[in-house]
Amino acid sequence: MTASEKNIVLQGSELKQHYEVSQGPFKPKGVVKALDGVDFKVEAGKTLAVVGESGCGKSTLARQLTMIETPTAGRIEFNGKNLLTLTGEDKKEARERIQIIFQNPYGSLNPRKKIGQILEEPLVINSEMNPASRKERALYLLEKVGLKHEHYDRYPHMFSGGQRQRIAIARGLMMNPKVVVADEPVSALDVSVQAQVLNLMMDIQKEFGLAYIFISHDLSVVEHIADEVMVMYLGRVVEQGPTHEIFSQPKHPYTRALLSSTPRINPEQRIEKIRLPGELPSPMNPPLGCAFHGRCQYANDRCKHATPELVEDDKGTLIRCFGYDEGRLDYLNE
Amino acid sequence: MTQPTVSVQGPRTPLAEFWFYFRQNRGAVMGLGYVVFIVLMAILADVLAPHSPTEQFRDFILTPPAFAEGGQAQFLLGTDGVGRDILSRLMHGARLSLLIGLVIVMVSMIMGICFGLLAGYFGGIVDTTIMRLSDILQSLPALLLAIAIVAVLGPSIVNSGLALSLVYLPHYIRLTRASTLAEKNRDYVISSRVAGANPLRLMFITILPNCLAPLIVQGTLGFSNAILDMAALGFLGLGAQPPSPEWGTMLSTAREFIQSAWWVVTFPGLMILTTVLAFNLMGDGLRDALDPKLKQ
Amino acid sequence: MSLLSVKNLSVTFGTGDNPFRAVDRVSYDVDAGEVLGIVGESGSGKSVSSLALMGLIDFPGKVFADQLDFEGQKLLEMKDKARRKITGDDIAMIFQDPMTALNPCFTVGNQIMEAIAVHQGGSKKERKAKAIELLRQVGIPAPEERINVYPHQLSGGMSQRVMIAMAVACDPKLLIADEPTTALDVTIQAQIIDLLLELQREKNMGLILITHDLALVSEAADRVVVMYAGQVVETGPAEELFRNPQHPYTEALLKSLPESAAGKARLDALPGVVPGANDRPQGCLLNPRCPYVEDKCRQSEPELIATTGRHAVRCFKPLTQEDAA
């Protein structure tokens, strides 16, 4: 076991989530593969970003990791123990250590509860702490996320979006988590507030040694905060690797298209525009072969019939693409 | 310089906000005032009432009100067919009517909330069963169903209260279920789930407070319905039994004097009318005051 | 003469001595064939100003302006009916959420044909042919079939395309797009922006692109207006403005983007939040958050002053290139 492997706090393997969908009274039930075989690892103090468009399965992954949904198949290991087979105290303990921050700060705080009650709820449920020490912890974390003690007795509607997201972060920290799953935590915020919240998240990560699973569609944010990036398309990982590798030389055509579609202020950072035709295929009946072939300009016959596997390159990046395997992606040869 | 206004503006408690909106509806404030008046009258009936509600003044049968011709100063609103003081009976009747209304609304609301939360939260077969049963209840005319139940259980104030609670149940179930469905998938509920809250806590502590606003409004309106239907049952002789001074019963026993002594019928009728109106006005105001918050 | 010319447009809400100015003396103009980007955070008044333009501010909002001219016609002095004719025929608008902007009860074709009928008329057959042609123009595959689907059968990107088709149905001279891609995915956003720019060039329309996304504006717009708390704080040609921002707010916004922080651990965040309705400061509206604040900024309010060429800044001490470096 190498040093870095020791630090792995959360690991998923072959995670699947299939939903049965009724298509009408006399038709056979359809299967939606929201997540179809996803593997990942995340180390303490590191950030794994999950990137993709809506419908790619990134939110399903977040729901699995926080045990809101049970995977159809696969393993989730937290500190070496399989979450899915845990029971009783162990399960409760694991649940406390994996927390979630939601996208919409207006919906994630109970509008009828005071900030203090919201923050202390996890403690009330999971611990036998007395009210005084609960309050002490809540105040301590309010301070940590840059809010004041007097905010303890207020209701959520008195706060701005950025402040609410700070409260949500404080709530996530109440149980001393090891892993925080952040589902688009800054995409509902204004630019200047977004920077404040991102800074806060990074400060807290350093201070508490948290591992982040950072789900986002905003690549410029991901580039800034992530150590490793996982690009998903229709329930599968298409490219996965160190942030620097992915952003300096995207290998999968989809990653490249995503990057080139992201607007940039600095003209030097803009890369040649690749416009993907069409839209994400319906997960109800995904195309045969590589799921991306319908929108890919490099697709050939093989892509239409066979499904590529994830292949590792010499720099530790995983790519799921026949074009890459066969060396026919011309942008890589420039 | 701008600082003071900020700190005043910021922490407006939900109660203050509620009062701010409620105050803007003048009818609602009047309704509230009248309801407070009736409640005080009911509580202080023993002190305020000039006579006992059941004492029969045999010498003063069917005395007109004090302000009418031939009235007596000691019987402000006149006396009924057996010489009981109408004002005193109305005051004591307020007690009975309000109590009945309150009990009926509480019973049906609590049961409705439980069933509605169960149906909305668990869905599936639980939902189907509860909702179909409530559909059946709702498909029968309310008063007819109540009459049928009372006929089986026997006429009494408790039985008719029970019957009416059952009749009103479907409204509360539907309302609670609808709001529960809307709230169930909000992020704050999910984050409580992630924190490890069990279904009971989720239903009653997390979700329920956010569903209360429409229920409170429905409860207030239901209150007036309960008083009205109770009066109707009383009028039919199925509710409160004489000599207890219930408004509906007072009306029904006064039927024979409609043409000869108008006051015996008019005052109980007016009481029912104004009380129901006040509750409805108040309910409207509550709806206005609580709804903008829901929309946020 | 510019296509649209706005001078000192203000929109106030509320009554009494101190009504809330959602938009405060905003001036800009748009030429035919030009893309004007309006950027700002939420609450900056960027959407309200365009609604005021279209005459869509309802009571209790009040609109004032020294000048609100479209092709030399004074919109503010017109009767409602005449104004509606202009705003309907020559100015079109696209909104943020395409899913709610289409009426779910009617087919897509029906709604486009309705838009054509109101402004151009024509027989049903002609209108249908036009609707199919429009759907083809906005890049919807198999328009003959899609014309009969209902909005809920379309994805967000497709719905936005339909909205664009409706907007350009009567060949407007000015198109206002209010956050047209905020609800969409990145690759779809790129498609829609390309489509808008293509149509704009083809028809030589003026395009006002309202968004919170600085990078998007920097790529798409010719000129940019930066708004803060209801006021225009800086305006100028896109490239120049983003290269050499002269207002501290613009500079701070650009710095707070993760893109500008390459290699740095922390982002340069502007402290505080956009002031709300009740807590606007005295003097320059940015003064509590501004790193360059001086006493003067707390006492009096700067005017929007032209600096170089078409560049104008609302600041007592506009940043020069040396400051920014």
Side-chain angles (χ1 to χ4, degrees):
Chain A
M1 201 187 260
T2 65
S4 73
E5 270 174 27
K6 240 186 264 170
N7 274 330
I8 290 175
V9 277
L10 192 67
Q11 180 170 11
S13 45
E14 276 303 302
L15 286 173
K16 290 185 182 175
Q17 186 81 49
H18 295 181
Y19 300 104
E20 282 199 343
V21 183
S22 160
Q23 293 175 302
F26 303 109
K27 292 179 190 152
K29 283 198 170 163
V31 175
V32 170
K33 296 180 176 177
L35 216 54
D36 199 18
V38 168
D39 299 78
F40 71 90
K41 296 174 190 154
V42 58
E43 293 167 30
K46 297 281 182 192
T47 302
L48 168 70
V50 184
V51 177
E53 297 178 275
S54 45
C56 73
K58 54 192 198 303
S59 293
T60 309
L61 184 65
R63 294 170 72 91
Q64 286 189 350
L65 298 182
T66 44
M67 292 192 265
I68 299 168
E69 277 180 48
T70 314
T72 321
R75 279 170 71 85
I76 303 175
E77 275 180 32
F78 174 72
N79 277 343
K81 282 179 264 177
N82 187 354
L83 277 189
L84 305 173
T85 54
L86 288 182
T87 47
E89 276 305 299
D90 290 341
K91 185 165 184 175
K92 206 172 128 190
E93 144 106 35
R95 183 166 241 163
E96 289 165 13
R97 300 283 174 258
I98 305 175
Q99 288 295 330
I100 186 164
I101 300 170
F102 293 97
Q103 166 175 14
N104 180 357
Y106 292 88
S108 63
L109 304 177
N110 191 337
R112 299 276 164 185
K113 301 259 191 258
K114 290 180 181 173
I115 301 309
Q117 291 171 301
I118 291 173
L119 290 179
E120 288 172 20
E121 186 180 29
L123 294 179
V124 174
I125 297 170
N126 294 311
S127 74
E128 265 117 58
M129 235 185 241
N130 61 35
S133 41
R134 284 205 302 257
K135 180 165 180 181
E136 195 181 323
R137 173 130 185 101
L139 290 177
Y140 165 75
L141 281 171
L142 268 183
E143 214 171 294
K144 272 272 167 275
V145 298
L147 293 170
K148 300 193 188 102
H149 283 194
E150 69 222 44
H151 292 146
Y152 181 85
D153 279 322
R154 297 202 184 157
Y155 286 88
H157 72 268
M158 298 167 185
F159 293 91
S160 69
Q163 286 175 316
R164 289 183 197 215
Q165 206 59 307
R166 287 171 191 267
I167 295 166
I169 291 172
R171 172 178 59 191
L173 294 175
M174 288 299 282
M175 297 305 297
N176 265 327
K178 292 277 166 261
V179 179
V180 171
V181 180
D183 190 353
E184 306 257 10
V186 295
S187 41
L189 305 176
D190 274 323
V191 186
S192 65
V193 179
Q194 170 177 315
Q196 296 169 5
V197 172
L198 282 176
N199 279 342
L200 172 68
M201 285 186 68
M202 286 188 289
D203 293 346
I204 281 173
Q205 176 170 46
K206 213 180 277 170
E207 182 165 351
F208 296 97
L210 298 176
Y212 282 147
I213 311 276
F214 193 93
I215 293 171
S216 179
H217 69 276
D218 187 338
L219 289 173
S220 55
V221 171
V222 166
E223 181 173 15
H224 183 71
I225 199 170
D227 299 293
E228 205 184 335
V229 179
M230 188 158 102
V231 183
M232 293 185 60
Y233 190 78
L234 225 60
R236 293 189 158 198
V237 176
V238 293
E239 186 164 359
Q240 181 175 3
T243 308
H244 176 71
E245 282 299 314
I246 301 260
F247 280 86
S248 62
Q249 201 186 31
K251 298 194 180 64
H252 196 282
Y254 178 66
T255 315
R256 203 173 151 77
L258 267 187
L259 269 178
S260 82
S261 300
T262 307
R264 296 278 178 178
I265 292 271
N266 187 348
E268 287 153 30
Q269 284 202 21
R270 295 176 193 161
I271 54 176
E272 176 211 351
K273 299 286 174 208
I274 305 169
R275 288 299 183 247
L276 288 184
E279 307 196 358
L280 209 64
S282 152
M284 281 286 286
N285 41 22
L288 219 62
C290 172
F292 187 57
H293 82 248
R295 304 173 74 189
C296 178
Q297 61 187 104
Y298 301 97
N300 64 7
D301 260 3
R302 188 176 172 206
C303 303
K304 285 177 190 149
H305 297 108
T307 314
E309 292 302 316
L310 274 178
V311 176
E312 186 166 359
D313 78 347
D314 47 356
K315 285 181 184 133
T317 313
L318 298 165
I319 304 113
R320 187 190 294 277
C321 180
F322 286 135
Y324 176 76
D325 301 347
E326 295 164 9
R328 56 185 159 82
L329 302 178
D330 46 23
Y331 51 82
L332 291 178
N333 305 327
E334 277 161 17
Chain B
M1 193 196 133
T2 48
Q3 214 50 40
T5 53
V6 177
S7 54
V8 174
Q9 266 296 329
R12 188 152 76 184
T13 62
L15 198 69
E17 193 168 348
F18 163 76
W19 180 239
F20 174 78
Y21 285 110
F22 188 81
R23 217 176 37 187
Q24 300 191 330
N25 186 335
R26 204 178 291 167
V29 178
M30 279 162 57
L32 178 68
Y34 191 77
V35 168
V36 169
F37 166 70
I38 293 281
V39 168
L40 284 180
M41 194 174 85
I43 294 172
L44 301 176
D46 284 332
V47 188
L48 290 178
H51 305 284
S52 152
T54 48
E55 189 183 353
Q56 303 180 357
F57 297 92
R58 289 289 173 172
D59 300 338
F60 298 98
I61 286 171
L62 289 179
T63 311
F67 51 83
E69 201 179 325
Q72 294 270 345
Q74 65 180 120
F75 305 116
L76 268 180
L77 297 181
T79 58
D80 64 4
V82 286
R84 290 174 297 200
D85 180 36
I86 291 185
L87 180 62
S88 310
R89 283 179 69 73
L90 286 180
M91 286 179 165
H92 283 271
R95 245 181 207 189
L96 209 55
S97 289
L98 289 183
L99 198 67
I100 291 167
L102 193 69
V103 169
I104 291 176
V105 167
M106 289 314 268
V107 169
S108 50
M109 202 190 231
I110 289 171
M111 280 169 54
I113 284 174
C114 293
F115 284 123
L117 277 174
L118 284 174
Y121 185 83
F122 289 108
I125 188 109
V126 182
D127 184 28
T128 319
T129 317
I130 292 176
M131 291 323 287
R132 287 304 84 76
L133 284 177
S134 98
D135 282 349
I136 294 172
L137 271 182
Q138 218 174 9
S139 65
L140 299 165
L143 204 55
L144 210 61
L145 180 63
I147 291 171
I149 299 173
V150 178
V152 173
L153 297 175
S156 83
I157 214 162
V158 177
N159 288 347
S160 51
L162 259 178
L164 287 178
S165 315
L166 203 63
V167 169
Y168 296 143
L169 194 56
H171 298 286
Y172 297 99
I173 297 184
R174 289 201 161 272
L175 259 182
T176 316
R177 173 177 174 269
S179 337
T180 309
L181 282 179
E183 297 294 322
K184 185 172 77 169
N185 288 320
R186 300 276 297 274
D187 283 346
Y188 70 86
V189 180
I190 295 177
S191 76
S192 285
R193 260 173 81 185
V194 174
N198 58 15
L200 267 185
R201 186 186 168 90
L202 282 178
M203 279 193 278
F204 286 96
I205 296 183
T206 312
I207 298 179
L208 181 60
N210 291 291
C211 306
L212 275 183
L215 284 168
I216 291 172
V217 175
Q218 175 68 33
T220 332
L221 299 176
F223 204 98
S224 62
N225 266 336
I227 293 177
L228 207 59
D229 286 349
M230 201 59 195
L233 285 181
F235 184 81
L236 294 173
L238 296 170
Q241 297 303 307
S244 39
E246 197 264 335
W247 295 342
T249 322
M250 283 170 76
L251 258 187
S252 91
T253 50
R255 242 176 333 180
E256 46 191 303
F257 310 114
I258 280 184
Q259 295 193 334
S260 53
W262 56 270
W263 59 90
V264 191
V265 215
T266 309
F267 292 117
L270 269 179
M271 279 310 282
I272 296 174
L273 177 83
T274 48
T275 313
V276 168
L277 184 69
F279 270 104
N280 277 326
L281 283 175
M282 196 172 87
D284 279 350
L286 280 178
R287 191 198 323 255
D288 292 349
L290 294 172
D291 261 6
K293 224 137 188 262
L294 283 180
K295 281 179 201 142
Q296 269 180 13
Chain C
M1 182 184 67
S2 39
L3 182 66
L4 173 80
S5 171
V6 180
K7 278 225 171 61
N8 287 338
L9 171 75
S10 297
V11 180
T12 61
F13 290 96
T15 47
D17 304 332
N18 201 8
F20 170 57
R21 278 176 180 265
V23 175
D24 190 9
R25 286 162 291 152
V26 164
S27 307
Y28 53 78
D29 41 46
V30 190
D31 293 332
E34 185 185 43
V35 183
L36 176 73
I38 302 185
V39 267
E41 300 181 279
S42 47
S44 64
K46 55 189 194 301
S47 292
V48 180
S49 65
S50 66
L51 290 177
L53 212 67
M54 296 290 283
L56 294 175
I57 301 285
D58 290 327
F59 184 83
K62 287 202 194 74
V63 180
F64 311 92
D66 290 350
Q67 193 187 357
L68 194 59
D69 291 0
F70 184 75
E71 290 192 304
Q73 305 170 77
K74 301 195 183 312
L75 287 181
L76 274 187
E77 290 162 21
M78 274 180 191
K79 292 248 163 60
D80 268 4
K81 202 176 163 197
R83 181 173 178 172
R84 266 206 304 277
K85 176 106 179 79
I86 291 188
T87 47
D89 280 355
D90 293 339
I91 309 180
M93 196 158 177
I94 307 170
F95 297 94
Q96 171 173 358
D97 191 354
M99 305 304 243
T100 56
L102 288 169
N103 187 336
C105 294
F106 296 99
T107 63
V108 166
N110 219 317
Q111 296 184 51
I112 301 179
M113 280 152 70
E114 170 89 23
I116 303 172
V118 171
H119 298 294
Q120 294 178 337
S123 73
K124 195 167 178 207
K125 217 170 151 193
E126 284 164 18
R127 279 185 281 141
K128 186 165 181 190
K130 177 105 199 260
I132 292 176
E133 176 51 34
L134 279 167
L135 287 182
R136 197 190 316 275
Q137 265 185 31
V138 295
I140 290 183
E144 294 84 0
E145 292 157 34
R146 291 298 176 100
I147 200 161
N148 291 321
V149 304
Y150 286 88
H152 72 267
Q153 294 167 295
L154 294 174
S155 66
M158 282 296 158
S159 304
Q160 197 59 293
R161 283 173 192 269
V162 171
M163 286 308 298
I164 295 174
M166 282 171 70
V168 300
C170 25
D171 288 317
K173 293 177 181 139
L174 177 66
L175 183 61
I176 302 174
D178 189 356
E179 303 264 8
T181 58
T182 309
L184 305 176
D185 279 319
V186 195
T187 59
I188 308 296
Q189 159 171 308
Q191 289 174 2
I192 296 288
I193 290 292
D194 282 355
L195 173 68
L196 277 174
L197 294 179
E198 197 185 299
L199 286 171
Q200 178 263 335
R201 268 192 298 271
E202 215 169 85
K203 297 179 186 278
N204 200 33
M205 289 186 290
L207 174 65
I208 299 183
L209 181 66
I210 301 169
T211 175
H212 67 280
D213 191 335
L214 290 159
L216 184 67
V217 163
S218 80
E219 287 194 0
D222 302 320
R223 266 185 326 118
V224 180
V225 170
V226 184
M227 290 188 68
Y228 180 75
Q231 296 182 332
V232 174
V233 294
E234 184 167 7
T235 167
E239 201 182 317
E240 189 186 318
L241 187 142
F242 285 111
R243 192 155 24 88
N244 298 319
Q246 295 181 352
H247 196 279
Y249 177 65
T250 319
E251 185 201 48
L253 273 189
L254 289 173
K255 273 194 186 165
S256 69
L257 288 179
E259 185 190 330
S260 325
K264 277 191 241 165
R266 290 178 64 89
L267 300 168
D268 288 316
L270 191 62
V273 291
V274 180
N278 301 305
D279 49 3
R280 292 215 168 151
Q282 208 184 11
C284 172
L285 291 181
L286 188 69
N287 85 61
R289 305 175 72 187
C290 180
Y292 308 101
V293 65
E294 291 174 359
D295 276 349
K296 192 179 175 189
C297 308
R298 294 195 187 91
Q299 280 142 18
S300 53
E301 207 180 318
E303 293 297 318
L304 190 67
I305 295 164
T307 49
T308 49
R310 297 187 80 181
H311 210 133
V313 188
R314 189 187 288 278
C315 184
F316 289 121
K317 281 186 69 184
L319 306 174
T320 55
Q321 247 165 302
E322 292 83 64
D323 291 332

